[in-house]
Amino acid sequence: MEFEWRYEKEQPQQLKYFLKEKGISKGLLAKIKFQGGTIKVNDKRENVLFSLSDNDKVTIVIPAEGEHETVLLDETPIDIIYEDEHLLVVNKPAGISSIPAQYHPNGTMANRVKAYYKRQGYEDQVVHVVTRLDRDTSGLMLFARHGFAHAKLDVQLREKKFIKKYQALISGSLDDLKEHGWIDLPIARDYSSLLKRQVHVDGRSAQTEYWLEKRDSEIALVDIQLHTGRTHQIRVHFSEIGCALLGDEMYGGRMDLGIERQALHCYDLRFYHPFTQKLLEFKQPLAQDMAAIVQRFED
């Protein structure tokens, strides 16, 4: 894959520092150098010690990644929301893990995306997961189509430039809910379980913001934005305030209201395109099982 920039500074600069500013890591430079890529200035091959002058054209060619041979293929079709040569946004169904695990090497979104890349005949077939979702959470997931895009998106994640919002169905102490609230409670491992988390004074800081959208006597629909990214954060926080998610048996959610998985859906994903810098925003309606419950509010 080829990328091109124009150097626009009066002061000379070594090529390696210019490439670093563009997000080219030492690892990616080594890959370009040793795995068949090229670095050119004004269409002439140069090394990274070359001194750039104003208006120089810099071109890099990153070699294709091939594939992770250990990632198995799952030919189940994927629901593509957006795709270009750098990004892939999909709608993940509930009940599907994001990535393979030791005892579950297939049937995940990563397996399905790899099979899709294979069918399309893409040169880059390594699956780069940028935003994961829990197995039973539905909604928007972002993949990078190549390692350079992944690295640049990771910078945005670290700088908290991503906005990822969820909708959840909850029950319990609904009268105590505010129209707009903030849950600020630390989260730690619950050592009685390999998976479970808990609110604990010695845990890591965790903040969840929510807006009450709709409610009846038993159920409420809340809009949620995370300000930290702790494991099971939404589930733990709402359980702690007495409003566990429907279907979330692990954290005390009701299992008798027509949904058998945690009623959580990632519906809104916003970030800057790693190369055009354009703000991208994607929205995805609630999954069918959650939408059917919300319909009760209108009936």
Side-chain angles (χ1 to χ4, degrees):
M1 183 169 289
E2 183 175 293
F3 297 89
E4 183 177 296
W5 301 281
R6 186 69 64 173
Y7 183 71
E8 296 176 331
K9 298 178 183 178
E10 293 183 5
Q11 202 67 13
Q13 183 181 39
Q14 273 193 350
L15 179 55
K16 66 178 180 180
Y17 296 118
F18 175 76
L19 293 176
K20 183 178 180 181
E21 290 175 359
K22 296 300 181 183
I24 304 293
S25 66
K26 289 182 180 179
L28 186 51
L29 272 180
K31 181 177 181 180
I32 294 168
K33 182 176 180 180
F34 298 112
Q35 296 183 28
T38 58
I39 301 175
K40 294 181 179 181
V41 178
N42 301 325
D43 299 320
K44 180 183 176 184
R45 283 179 179 264
E46 300 287 357
N47 66 40
V48 295
L49 300 180
F50 182 84
S51 182
L52 293 171
S53 300
D54 187 33
N55 206 40
D56 279 346
K57 182 179 72 173
V58 177
T59 307
I60 65 167
V61 176
I62 300 175
E65 294 179 325
E67 63 174 299
H68 278 145
E69 294 182 358
T70 56
V71 177
L72 304 175
L73 301 179
D74 181 342
E75 297 292 346
T76 307
I78 56 177
D79 183 5
I80 296 174
I81 307 303
Y82 173 84
E83 183 178 15
D84 64 23
E85 61 183 328
H86 308 294
L87 309 172
L88 176 69
V89 180
V90 303
N91 178 33
K92 186 186 89 66
I96 306 298
S97 297
S98 292
I99 60 173
Q102 182 178 358
Y103 298 109
H104 301 281
N106 207 345
T108 73
M109 290 306 299
N111 302 111
R112 294 181 180 187
V113 167
K114 180 180 176 181
Y116 169 72
Y117 288 171
K118 201 89 171 175
R119 290 195 299 272
Q120 298 300 108
Y122 294 155
E123 286 188 331
D124 294 311
Q125 295 183 11
V126 173
V127 178
H128 296 276
V129 180
V130 180
T131 61
R132 300 184 189 184
L133 295 176
D134 287 350
R135 181 179 184 274
D136 287 327
T137 300
S138 56
L140 296 167
M141 261 187 85
L142 172 62
F143 294 81
R145 286 271 311 275
H146 54 84
F148 188 23
H150 194 178
K152 291 177 76 68
L153 289 165
D154 274 348
V155 171
Q156 285 192 54
L157 284 169
R158 291 196 299 272
E159 294 177 349
K160 301 187 183 301
K161 292 180 178 177
F162 268 72
I163 292 177
K164 188 163 67 164
K165 298 182 77 173
Y166 297 81
Q167 288 182 315
L169 291 168
I170 59 176
S171 65
S173 305
L174 301 183
D175 291 338
D176 297 332
L177 281 181
K178 303 174 182 177
E179 291 295 318
H180 173 224
W182 186 281
I183 307 171
D184 186 354
L185 296 168
I187 293 177
R189 285 185 175 274
D190 182 338
Y191 288 100
S192 68
S193 167
L194 291 175
L195 299 175
K196 198 173 181 183
R197 301 298 195 268
Q198 63 179 335
V199 168
H200 193 280
V201 65
D202 294 327
R204 300 177 69 189
S205 173
Q207 293 91 37
T208 302
E209 187 176 10
Y210 72 84
W211 295 262
L212 179 60
E213 295 292 319
K214 299 178 182 179
R215 61 163 294 180
D216 63 15
S217 60
E218 289 189 301
I219 303 168
L221 175 69
V222 287
D223 195 8
I224 300 164
Q225 183 174 348
L226 295 178
H227 294 278
T228 52
R230 310 299 174 220
T231 300
H232 295 181
Q233 179 173 321
I234 292 172
R235 300 164 64 190
V236 173
H237 271 175
F238 278 93
S239 176
E240 184 67 17
I241 66 171
C243 297
L245 275 61
L246 302 192
D248 192 358
E249 191 169 18
M250 178 178 287
Y251 292 103
R254 289 184 62 172
M255 304 298 293
D256 62 341
L257 292 172
I259 191 164
E260 298 180 354
R261 55 99 175 183
Q262 66 220 27
L264 186 60
H265 178 79
C266 180
Y267 81 95
D268 187 355
L269 184 61
R270 283 174 263 179
F271 58 94
Y272 291 95
H273 193 285
F275 299 104
T276 68
Q277 301 309 311
K278 178 183 177 182
L279 179 63
L280 300 178
E281 180 174 5
F282 304 99
K283 293 197 175 184
Q284 181 63 28
L286 284 172
Q288 186 174 358
D289 56 351
M290 290 181 65
I293 293 176
V294 172
Q295 185 62 41
R296 298 179 190 178
F297 296 122
E298 278 84 39
D299 291 343

mmCIF file with all atom_site columns, all heavy atoms in Angstrom, residues 219-236:
data_model
loop_
_atom_site.group_PDB
_atom_site.id
_atom_site.type_symbol
_atom_site.label_atom_id
_atom_site.label_alt_id
_atom_site.label_comp_id
_atom_site.label_asym_id
_atom_site.label_entity_id
_atom_site.label_seq_id
_atom_site.pdbx_PDB_ins_code
_atom_site.Cartn_x
_atom_site.Cartn_y
_atom_site.Cartn_z
_atom_site.occupancy
_atom_site.B_iso_or_equiv
_atom_site.pdbx_formal_charge
_atom_site.auth_seq_id
_atom_site.auth_comp_id
_atom_site.auth_asym_id
_atom_site.auth_atom_id
_atom_site.pdbx_PDB_model_num
ATOM 1   N N   . ILE A 1 219 ? -39.061 -1.314  33.361 1.00 0.00 ? 219 ILE A N   1
ATOM 2   C CA  . ILE A 1 219 ? -37.873 -1.291  32.497 1.00 0.00 ? 219 ILE A CA  1
ATOM 3   C C   . ILE A 1 219 ? -37.545 0.145   32.109 1.00 0.00 ? 219 ILE A C   1
ATOM 4   O O   . ILE A 1 219 ? -38.442 0.967   31.905 1.00 0.00 ? 219 ILE A O   1
ATOM 5   C CB  . ILE A 1 219 ? -38.118 -2.116  31.209 1.00 0.00 ? 219 ILE A CB  1
ATOM 6   C CG1 . ILE A 1 219 ? -38.503 -3.555  31.541 1.00 0.00 ? 219 ILE A CG1 1
ATOM 7   C CG2 . ILE A 1 219 ? -36.876 -2.102  30.307 1.00 0.00 ? 219 ILE A CG2 1
ATOM 8   C CD1 . ILE A 1 219 ? -39.029 -4.326  30.354 1.00 0.00 ? 219 ILE A CD1 1
ATOM 9   N N   . ALA A 1 220 ? -36.245 0.421   31.967 1.00 0.00 ? 220 ALA A N   1
ATOM 10  C CA  . ALA A 1 220 ? -35.811 1.722   31.447 1.00 0.00 ? 220 ALA A CA  1
ATOM 11  C C   . ALA A 1 220 ? -34.798 1.509   30.333 1.00 0.00 ? 220 ALA A C   1
ATOM 12  O O   . ALA A 1 220 ? -34.005 0.559   30.358 1.00 0.00 ? 220 ALA A O   1
ATOM 13  C CB  . ALA A 1 220 ? -35.197 2.576   32.555 1.00 0.00 ? 220 ALA A CB  1
ATOM 14  N N   . LEU A 1 221 ? -34.847 2.399   29.351 1.00 0.00 ? 221 LEU A N   1
ATOM 15  C CA  . LEU A 1 221 ? -33.838 2.448   28.293 1.00 0.00 ? 221 LEU A CA  1
ATOM 16  C C   . LEU A 1 221 ? -32.899 3.607   28.611 1.00 0.00 ? 221 LEU A C   1
ATOM 17  O O   . LEU A 1 221 ? -33.345 4.744   28.776 1.00 0.00 ? 221 LEU A O   1
ATOM 18  C CB  . LEU A 1 221 ? -34.500 2.663   26.930 1.00 0.00 ? 221 LEU A CB  1
ATOM 19  C CG  . LEU A 1 221 ? -33.538 2.862   25.739 1.00 0.00 ? 221 LEU A CG  1
ATOM 20  C CD1 . LEU A 1 221 ? -32.786 1.578   25.426 1.00 0.00 ? 221 LEU A CD1 1
ATOM 21  C CD2 . LEU A 1 221 ? -34.315 3.347   24.509 1.00 0.00 ? 221 LEU A CD2 1
ATOM 22  N N   . VAL A 1 222 ? -31.611 3.320   28.715 1.00 0.00 ? 222 VAL A N   1
ATOM 23  C CA  . VAL A 1 222 ? -30.633 4.363   29.012 1.00 0.00 ? 222 VAL A CA  1
ATOM 24  C C   . VAL A 1 222 ? -29.606 4.460   27.891 1.00 0.00 ? 222 VAL A C   1
ATOM 25  O O   . VAL A 1 222 ? -29.250 3.461   27.250 1.00 0.00 ? 222 VAL A O   1
ATOM 26  C CB  . VAL A 1 222 ? -29.914 4.126   30.363 1.00 0.00 ? 222 VAL A CB  1
ATOM 27  C CG1 . VAL A 1 222 ? -30.841 4.413   31.518 1.00 0.00 ? 222 VAL A CG1 1
ATOM 28  C CG2 . VAL A 1 222 ? -29.347 2.716   30.453 1.00 0.00 ? 222 VAL A CG2 1
ATOM 29  N N   . ASP A 1 223 ? -29.165 5.674   27.666 1.00 0.00 ? 223 ASP A N   1
ATOM 30  C CA  . ASP A 1 223 ? -28.110 6.000   26.706 1.00 0.00 ? 223 ASP A CA  1
ATOM 31  C C   . ASP A 1 223 ? -26.832 6.185   27.529 1.00 0.00 ? 223 ASP A C   1
ATOM 32  O O   . ASP A 1 223 ? -26.852 6.895   28.542 1.00 0.00 ? 223 ASP A O   1
ATOM 33  C CB  . ASP A 1 223 ? -28.502 7.297   26.002 1.00 0.00 ? 223 ASP A CB  1
ATOM 34  C CG  . ASP A 1 223 ? -27.692 7.555   24.754 1.00 0.00 ? 223 ASP A CG  1
ATOM 35  O OD1 . ASP A 1 223 ? -26.926 6.674   24.346 1.00 0.00 ? 223 ASP A OD1 1
ATOM 36  O OD2 . ASP A 1 223 ? -27.818 8.665   24.192 1.00 0.00 ? 223 ASP A OD2 1
ATOM 37  N N   . ILE A 1 224 ? -25.723 5.575   27.107 1.00 0.00 ? 224 ILE A N   1
ATOM 38  C CA  . ILE A 1 224 ? -24.537 5.496   27.955 1.00 0.00 ? 224 ILE A CA  1
ATOM 39  C C   . ILE A 1 224 ? -23.286 5.892   27.184 1.00 0.00 ? 224 ILE A C   1
ATOM 40  O O   . ILE A 1 224 ? -23.103 5.479   26.027 1.00 0.00 ? 224 ILE A O   1
ATOM 41  C CB  . ILE A 1 224 ? -24.345 4.055   28.487 1.00 0.00 ? 224 ILE A CB  1
ATOM 42  C CG1 . ILE A 1 224 ? -25.553 3.623   29.315 1.00 0.00 ? 224 ILE A CG1 1
ATOM 43  C CG2 . ILE A 1 224 ? -23.059 3.937   29.304 1.00 0.00 ? 224 ILE A CG2 1
ATOM 44  C CD1 . ILE A 1 224 ? -25.611 2.122   29.547 1.00 0.00 ? 224 ILE A CD1 1
ATOM 45  N N   . GLN A 1 225 ? -22.433 6.657   27.839 1.00 0.00 ? 225 GLN A N   1
ATOM 46  C CA  . GLN A 1 225 ? -21.099 6.929   27.292 1.00 0.00 ? 225 GLN A CA  1
ATOM 47  C C   . GLN A 1 225 ? -20.060 6.594   28.351 1.00 0.00 ? 225 GLN A C   1
ATOM 48  O O   . GLN A 1 225 ? -20.139 7.052   29.491 1.00 0.00 ? 225 GLN A O   1
ATOM 49  C CB  . GLN A 1 225 ? -20.939 8.388   26.864 1.00 0.00 ? 225 GLN A CB  1
ATOM 50  C CG  . GLN A 1 225 ? -19.576 8.661   26.230 1.00 0.00 ? 225 GLN A CG  1
ATOM 51  C CD  . GLN A 1 225 ? -19.463 10.063  25.664 1.00 0.00 ? 225 GLN A CD  1
ATOM 52  O OE1 . GLN A 1 225 ? -20.445 10.778  25.543 1.00 0.00 ? 225 GLN A OE1 1
ATOM 53  N NE2 . GLN A 1 225 ? -18.259 10.458  25.309 1.00 0.00 ? 225 GLN A NE2 1
ATOM 54  N N   . LEU A 1 226 ? -19.081 5.786   27.957 1.00 0.00 ? 226 LEU A N   1
ATOM 55  C CA  . LEU A 1 226 ? -17.995 5.433   28.860 1.00 0.00 ? 226 LEU A CA  1
ATOM 56  C C   . LEU A 1 226 ? -16.915 6.506   28.814 1.00 0.00 ? 226 LEU A C   1
ATOM 57  O O   . LEU A 1 226 ? -16.555 6.986   27.745 1.00 0.00 ? 226 LEU A O   1
ATOM 58  C CB  . LEU A 1 226 ? -17.380 4.090   28.463 1.00 0.00 ? 226 LEU A CB  1
ATOM 59  C CG  . LEU A 1 226 ? -18.276 2.858   28.590 1.00 0.00 ? 226 LEU A CG  1
ATOM 60  C CD1 . LEU A 1 226 ? -17.529 1.612   28.117 1.00 0.00 ? 226 LEU A CD1 1
ATOM 61  C CD2 . LEU A 1 226 ? -18.751 2.673   30.012 1.00 0.00 ? 226 LEU A CD2 1
ATOM 62  N N   . HIS A 1 227 ? -16.370 6.819   29.968 1.00 0.00 ? 227 HIS A N   1
ATOM 63  C CA  . HIS A 1 227 ? -15.232 7.737   30.039 1.00 0.00 ? 227 HIS A CA  1
ATOM 64  C C   . HIS A 1 227 ? -13.966 7.021   30.477 1.00 0.00 ? 227 HIS A C   1
ATOM 65  O O   . HIS A 1 227 ? -12.895 7.621   30.541 1.00 0.00 ? 227 HIS A O   1
ATOM 66  C CB  . HIS A 1 227 ? -15.559 8.900   30.966 1.00 0.00 ? 227 HIS A CB  1
ATOM 67  C CG  . HIS A 1 227 ? -16.654 9.766   30.430 1.00 0.00 ? 227 HIS A CG  1
ATOM 68  N ND1 . HIS A 1 227 ? -16.432 10.761  29.488 1.00 0.00 ? 227 HIS A ND1 1
ATOM 69  C CD2 . HIS A 1 227 ? -17.992 9.757   30.649 1.00 0.00 ? 227 HIS A CD2 1
ATOM 70  C CE1 . HIS A 1 227 ? -17.573 11.332  29.173 1.00 0.00 ? 227 HIS A CE1 1
ATOM 71  N NE2 . HIS A 1 227 ? -18.541 10.747  29.868 1.00 0.00 ? 227 HIS A NE2 1
ATOM 72  N N   . THR A 1 228 ? -14.102 5.738   30.773 1.00 0.00 ? 228 THR A N   1
ATOM 73  C CA  . THR A 1 228 ? -12.972 4.826   30.971 1.00 0.00 ? 228 THR A CA  1
ATOM 74  C C   . THR A 1 228 ? -13.374 3.509   30.331 1.00 0.00 ? 228 THR A C   1
ATOM 75  O O   . THR A 1 228 ? -14.535 3.321   29.976 1.00 0.00 ? 228 THR A O   1
ATOM 76  C CB  . THR A 1 228 ? -12.672 4.616   32.472 1.00 0.00 ? 228 THR A CB  1
ATOM 77  O OG1 . THR A 1 228 ? -13.885 4.230   33.140 1.00 0.00 ? 228 THR A OG1 1
ATOM 78  C CG2 . THR A 1 228 ? -12.099 5.870   33.111 1.00 0.00 ? 228 THR A CG2 1
ATOM 79  N N   . GLY A 1 229 ? -12.436 2.586   30.203 1.00 0.00 ? 229 GLY A N   1
ATOM 80  C CA  . GLY A 1 229 ? -12.739 1.345   29.493 1.00 0.00 ? 229 GLY A CA  1
ATOM 81  C C   . GLY A 1 229 ? -12.445 0.098   30.305 1.00 0.00 ? 229 GLY A C   1
ATOM 82  O O   . GLY A 1 229 ? -11.679 -0.760  29.883 1.00 0.00 ? 229 GLY A O   1
ATOM 83  N N   . ARG A 1 230 ? -13.051 -0.016  31.478 1.00 0.00 ? 230 ARG A N   1
ATOM 84  C CA  . ARG A 1 230 ? -12.827 -1.187  32.321 1.00 0.00 ? 230 ARG A CA  1
ATOM 85  C C   . ARG A 1 230 ? -13.675 -2.376  31.852 1.00 0.00 ? 230 ARG A C   1
ATOM 86  O O   . ARG A 1 230 ? -14.779 -2.196  31.334 1.00 0.00 ? 230 ARG A O   1
ATOM 87  C CB  . ARG A 1 230 ? -13.146 -0.883  33.786 1.00 0.00 ? 230 ARG A CB  1
ATOM 88  C CG  . ARG A 1 230 ? -12.501 0.379   34.326 1.00 0.00 ? 230 ARG A CG  1
ATOM 89  C CD  . ARG A 1 230 ? -10.987 0.329   34.266 1.00 0.00 ? 230 ARG A CD  1
ATOM 90  N NE  . ARG A 1 230 ? -10.425 1.614   34.673 1.00 0.00 ? 230 ARG A NE  1
ATOM 91  C CZ  . ARG A 1 230 ? -9.387  2.180   34.085 1.00 0.00 ? 230 ARG A CZ  1
ATOM 92  N NH1 . ARG A 1 230 ? -8.802  1.588   33.058 1.00 0.00 ? 230 ARG A NH1 1
ATOM 93  N NH2 . ARG A 1 230 ? -8.928  3.339   34.517 1.00 0.00 ? 230 ARG A NH2 1
ATOM 94  N N   . THR A 1 231 ? -13.174 -3.563  32.068 1.00 0.00 ? 231 THR A N   1
ATOM 95  C CA  . THR A 1 231 ? -13.908 -4.775  31.712 1.00 0.00 ? 231 THR A CA  1
ATOM 96  C C   . THR A 1 231 ? -15.256 -4.801  32.423 1.00 0.00 ? 231 THR A C   1
ATOM 97  O O   . THR A 1 231 ? -15.336 -4.582  33.639 1.00 0.00 ? 231 THR A O   1
ATOM 98  C CB  . THR A 1 231 ? -13.090 -6.023  32.099 1.00 0.00 ? 231 THR A CB  1
ATOM 99  O OG1 . THR A 1 231 ? -11.848 -6.002  31.397 1.00 0.00 ? 231 THR A OG1 1
ATOM 100 C CG2 . THR A 1 231 ? -13.844 -7.301  31.767 1.00 0.00 ? 231 THR A CG2 1
ATOM 101 N N   . HIS A 1 232 ? -16.331 -5.057  31.665 1.00 0.00 ? 232 HIS A N   1
ATOM 102 C CA  . HIS A 1 232 ? -17.701 -5.170  32.183 1.00 0.00 ? 232 HIS A CA  1
ATOM 103 C C   . HIS A 1 232 ? -18.168 -3.882  32.875 1.00 0.00 ? 232 HIS A C   1
ATOM 104 O O   . HIS A 1 232 ? -19.076 -3.915  33.710 1.00 0.00 ? 232 HIS A O   1
ATOM 105 C CB  . HIS A 1 232 ? -17.826 -6.338  33.180 1.00 0.00 ? 232 HIS A CB  1
ATOM 106 C CG  . HIS A 1 232 ? -17.601 -7.680  32.568 1.00 0.00 ? 232 HIS A CG  1
ATOM 107 N ND1 . HIS A 1 232 ? -17.689 -8.857  33.296 1.00 0.00 ? 232 HIS A ND1 1
ATOM 108 C CD2 . HIS A 1 232 ? -17.275 -8.060  31.300 1.00 0.00 ? 232 HIS A CD2 1
ATOM 109 C CE1 . HIS A 1 232 ? -17.433 -9.886  32.512 1.00 0.00 ? 232 HIS A CE1 1
ATOM 110 N NE2 . HIS A 1 232 ? -17.177 -9.422  31.294 1.00 0.00 ? 232 HIS A NE2 1
ATOM 111 N N   . GLN A 1 233 ? -17.592 -2.752  32.521 1.00 0.00 ? 233 GLN A N   1
ATOM 112 C CA  . GLN A 1 233 ? -17.847 -1.514  33.273 1.00 0.00 ? 233 GLN A CA  1
ATOM 113 C C   . GLN A 1 233 ? -19.324 -1.168  33.373 1.00 0.00 ? 233 GLN A C   1
ATOM 114 O O   . GLN A 1 233 ? -19.835 -0.872  34.465 1.00 0.00 ? 233 GLN A O   1
ATOM 115 C CB  . GLN A 1 233 ? -17.084 -0.352  32.644 1.00 0.00 ? 233 GLN A CB  1
ATOM 116 C CG  . GLN A 1 233 ? -17.308 0.978   33.348 1.00 0.00 ? 233 GLN A CG  1
ATOM 117 C CD  . GLN A 1 233 ? -16.416 2.090   32.820 1.00 0.00 ? 233 GLN A CD  1
ATOM 118 O OE1 . GLN A 1 233 ? -15.258 1.860   32.530 1.00 0.00 ? 233 GLN A OE1 1
ATOM 119 N NE2 . GLN A 1 233 ? -16.968 3.287   32.688 1.00 0.00 ? 233 GLN A NE2 1
ATOM 120 N N   . ILE A 1 234 ? -20.033 -1.162  32.250 1.00 0.00 ? 234 ILE A N   1
ATOM 121 C CA  . ILE A 1 234 ? -21.448 -0.785  32.264 1.00 0.00 ? 234 ILE A CA  1
ATOM 122 C C   . ILE A 1 234 ? -22.240 -1.757  33.122 1.00 0.00 ? 234 ILE A C   1
ATOM 123 O O   . ILE A 1 234 ? -23.072 -1.356  33.961 1.00 0.00 ? 234 ILE A O   1
ATOM 124 C CB  . ILE A 1 234 ? -22.005 -0.742  30.829 1.00 0.00 ? 234 ILE A CB  1
ATOM 125 C CG1 . ILE A 1 234 ? -21.380 0.421   30.052 1.00 0.00 ? 234 ILE A CG1 1
ATOM 126 C CG2 . ILE A 1 234 ? -23.532 -0.629  30.833 1.00 0.00 ? 234 ILE A CG2 1
ATOM 127 C CD1 . ILE A 1 234 ? -21.712 0.428   28.570 1.00 0.00 ? 234 ILE A CD1 1
ATOM 128 N N   . ARG A 1 235 ? -21.969 -3.031  32.952 1.00 0.00 ? 235 ARG A N   1
ATOM 129 C CA  . ARG A 1 235 ? -22.712 -4.065  33.673 1.00 0.00 ? 235 ARG A CA  1
ATOM 130 C C   . ARG A 1 235 ? -22.479 -3.956  35.174 1.00 0.00 ? 235 ARG A C   1
ATOM 131 O O   . ARG A 1 235 ? -23.419 -4.045  35.978 1.00 0.00 ? 235 ARG A O   1
ATOM 132 C CB  . ARG A 1 235 ? -22.301 -5.434  33.144 1.00 0.00 ? 235 ARG A CB  1
ATOM 133 C CG  . ARG A 1 235 ? -22.582 -5.603  31.665 1.00 0.00 ? 235 ARG A CG  1
ATOM 134 C CD  . ARG A 1 235 ? -21.829 -6.790  31.065 1.00 0.00 ? 235 ARG A CD  1
ATOM 135 N NE  . ARG A 1 235 ? -22.271 -8.046  31.639 1.00 0.00 ? 235 ARG A NE  1
ATOM 136 C CZ  . ARG A 1 235 ? -21.646 -9.210  31.428 1.00 0.00 ? 235 ARG A CZ  1
ATOM 137 N NH1 . ARG A 1 235 ? -20.550 -9.251  30.680 1.00 0.00 ? 235 ARG A NH1 1
ATOM 138 N NH2 . ARG A 1 235 ? -22.109 -10.310 31.971 1.00 0.00 ? 235 ARG A NH2 1
ATOM 139 N N   . VAL A 1 236 ? -21.224 -3.748  35.566 1.00 0.00 ? 236 VAL A N   1
ATOM 140 C CA  . VAL A 1 236 ? -20.877 -3.633  36.983 1.00 0.00 ? 236 VAL A CA  1
ATOM 141 C C   . VAL A 1 236 ? -21.490 -2.374  37.587 1.00 0.00 ? 236 VAL A C   1
ATOM 142 O O   . VAL A 1 236 ? -22.096 -2.413  38.675 1.00 0.00 ? 236 VAL A O   1
ATOM 143 C CB  . VAL A 1 236 ? -19.347 -3.629  37.166 1.00 0.00 ? 236 VAL A CB  1
ATOM 144 C CG1 . VAL A 1 236 ? -18.977 -3.339  38.617 1.00 0.00 ? 236 VAL A CG1 1
ATOM 145 C CG2 . VAL A 1 236 ? -18.744 -4.960  36.738 1.00 0.00 ? 236 VAL A CG2 1
#
